[in-house]
Amino acid sequence: MLKVLFARHRATYFKLALKYWTTPSHVYNLAHGARSKGAKDSKICHELLELKIVHRHHYSHDPNDYNMDKE
């Protein structure tokens, strides 16, 4: 939880956590490489992708292959 409090995108993590009824640390973990385990996690990952917090590898066709933004 402490990493979330000092993260650059902490406001976004808290907003997404409220929107998807999960914890900010779970959103933070997804943004930093944790595997998504369901439809809700997949939606969070796609929002993180749209917000340009995480980026997909250029050469990959797999939408689950994310490259985390440096924080």
Side-chain angles (χ1 to χ4, degrees), residues 44-56 66:
I44 293 170
C45 287
H46 285 288
E47 284 213 34
L48 290 168
L49 187 67
E50 288 175 0
L51 294 169
K52 299 189 188 294
I53 293 175
V54 296
H55 304 279
R56 196 166 56 204
Y66 295 101

Side-chain angles (χ1 to χ4, degrees), residues 1-69:
M1 182 68 172
L2 284 177
K3 288 184 179 182
V4 175
L5 295 176
F6 296 106
R8 180 174 40 162
H9 301 291
R10 69 181 159 271
T12 304
Y13 299 148
F14 278 88
K15 281 176 31 179
L16 289 175
L18 285 172
K19 181 176 180 178
Y20 290 103
W21 201 247
T22 188
T23 63
S25 59
H26 182 70
V27 177
Y28 175 88
N29 290 335
L30 288 171
H32 288 85
R35 281 253 183 228
S36 60
K37 296 180 182 169
K40 179 171 65 172
D41 287 355
S42 186
K43 288 178 185 178
I44 293 170
C45 287
H46 285 288
E47 284 213 34
L48 290 168
L49 187 67
E50 288 175 0
L51 294 169
K52 299 189 188 294
I53 293 175
V54 296
H55 304 279
R56 196 166 56 204
H57 290 291
H58 297 281
Y59 54 82
S60 176
H61 297 288
D62 182 8
N64 293 321
D65 189 13
Y66 295 101
N67 182 21
M68 281 56 65
D69 191 27

